Amino acid sequence: MKNILIRTIAILFVVLLPASCVKETFPKGSTVTKDQLEGAEQSLTYMLSGIPAAMMNSGAGGYASTYGIHCDYGIAAIQMATESMLEDFAVLGEMNYYWFGSWMQNSSQGSDYIWCAYFWDTYYQWIKLANEIISIVDDVNEDTNEEVKQALGQAYAYRAMLYLDLARLYEPKTNKYTTITPDMLGLTVPIVTEDTTEEIAKNNPRATREEMYQFIFSDLKKAEEYLKNAVESYTTPGLTAVYGLYARAYLELGATYAEYPSEVPDPAVFDMTSEKAYTEAAKYARMAIERGHHSPLTQAQWEDPRNGFNDGGSNNAWIWGLTVSAENLSNLIASVAHRSCEAIYGYGVWTQLGVNQALYAQISDEDFRKHSWLDPGMMEYYNYQLAGSSEEQQGFIYGSMYNYPAVAYESIKFRPADGNVMDYTVGNCADCCLMRIEEMYFIEIEAVLATQGLAAAQNLLNDFMQAYRYPSYDCYLKTLSKEAFIKEMMLQKRIEFWGEGILIYDYKRLNQSITRGYEGTNVPSIARYNSDGRSPQWNIVITRGEYQSNKGIKHPDLNNPDPTEKLTLWE
């Protein structure tokens, strides 16, 4: 199931949906036409709603209908795929039911495989939706309706987010397992806009880092202007989300230019240095925090068996999230069905996804975040807040006709919507978090470490942890060097954001190692990979369908190297 070799079929699929097809019509039923939109602001708003719908649908990439692939549910599936390439997921049950096994096992990651193509195919479909909205409004002036401005601002914010993800996933970083040539360094992905013609798209090379980030910042500047008067809601990108995207982008540039000083651009082309980028990252993260619209999750919100990590409206921490309706979901091709171990209708009850026990062992008993996973002592140690009725809770712990008995380190972080473990039409309707305020605190901490030094960063980390996680936290004695501080900061970030899909960018940016193989590991034997520094998987490979249809992609010379099986299993 997991390591399917699909060469010819995968190629045919991605040729049908290349990034270059910007003039195609929308997927059936998702939007309205340009003619329908003329003079109708409400239609523009309706069209905008097609973006989050497309990002959350069962079968978002067409893989479910074409190949029967059950991990085809959009952005939440991509979050699972990237987390599976890191070190802290442990499949404690049936690995055969884990649809993200190829990413976890470092297999089938080259350009001929659908697992590689999924990132490309979905992101460029979503970008096309944003491009269509942007193309409708030719000019914004003082007479432009405020609703039109805000819809346009949201489209620019979506596009900026999508290209920022692509830039960070595809820009190659050096590692010890594959060769990154000087010509590859600094290359991201082709930029496709509302003005990209089919002819241009047939010869559209990978944008340089500077070209890409100038483009992203241009979109963010427009989004910031058009959204300045918008009422914020976590279901749509608002001004706080724009600041958060600025912070993410500048943090990436700060680390990149610090690691590759020879890559620092000519100021006449792109006026940026590592110190300037870090300063901007800290500034925008603080601006997001000080807007006052958001505050970190409380223990009650974190552990809520009905709304925990499935309802952005139930807390004040989510800056940006996506909602989904039952009409767009199936029972198995949905985030909850894979992430939640309590939902008896999904794969989670069989895979029993949990945490690498090496991470769990480092979490203080005073830290309520430890309750995201079942302790080896199980119910004797913690009064876990479980989803479902009393009978369903007992079934989860001791086993039933629907599921195996719960095991140590099993996850209960992601709950079925409304705590409904039986009915997928309710339980699968969970929101997907794209950004929460806690990330801004960590961005500020990392940026301040680079610009103001260790003591200032220690103070910020202590302040956050003591105020929002547990009062006795103290990082001073265990972070006597910058390297030790980065390790501790990453530890807290791994605990904080486990399973949420943002950690791959931290690992890749900071050249972190993964450790799944060690004495006493609970990671399945077929996935016990360790890396010395970056894993080669984090440089996502451009799919064969794109470089066959786009002559600007020079394969293999300027494509990222195939990382398949470059890591060695630990024995």
Side-chain angles (χ1 to χ4, degrees), residues 141 182 217 240 259 279 292 297 338 383 491 507 570:
N141 54 53
F217 290 141
T240 308
E259 182 175 2
T279 299
L297 290 165
H338 293 253
N383 181 24
L491 171 64
Y507 272 82
W570 176 87

Side-chain angles (χ1 to χ4, degrees), residues 229-377:
N229 297 321
V231 176
E232 294 209 14
S233 166
Y234 82 93
T235 61
T236 59
L239 198 54
T240 308
V242 172
Y243 292 158
L245 292 173
Y246 269 122
R248 285 177 177 176
Y250 279 117
L251 186 69
E252 184 71 23
L253 288 177
T256 297
Y257 292 135
E259 182 175 2
Y260 303 103
S262 62
E263 293 286 304
V264 175
D266 182 344
V269 176
F270 188 59
D271 187 13
M272 190 61 58
T273 64
S274 177
E275 183 175 3
K276 180 177 179 179
Y278 276 128
T279 299
E280 291 295 296
K283 180 187 80 172
Y284 278 105
R286 178 47 51 179
M287 287 169 66
I289 293 167
E290 290 186 346
R291 278 180 62 76
H293 292 267
H294 303 280
S295 56
L297 290 165
T298 65
Q299 179 173 354
Q301 292 166 342
W302 190 286
E303 298 179 10
D304 187 345
R306 296 175 63 90
N307 301 306
F309 289 92
N310 67 37
D311 180 6
S314 68
N315 65 74
N316 202 34
W318 287 30
I319 297 173
W320 190 2
L322 304 178
T323 61
V324 67
S325 66
E327 290 76 15
N328 296 330
L329 291 175
S330 73
N331 61 329
L332 293 175
I333 310 172
S335 176
V336 171
H338 293 253
R339 277 203 250 214
S340 174
C341 297
E342 296 174 285
I344 65 169
Y345 51 78
Y347 285 109
V349 295
W350 305 114
T351 61
Q352 295 182 286
L353 184 63
V355 66
N356 186 333
Q357 66 180 17
L359 173 61
Y360 187 84
Q362 297 179 76
I363 308 174
S364 169
D365 288 342
E366 298 178 55
D367 188 345
F368 67 78
R369 298 174 301 175
K370 196 169 188 175
H371 305 172
S372 299
W373 309 278
L374 299 181
D375 189 81

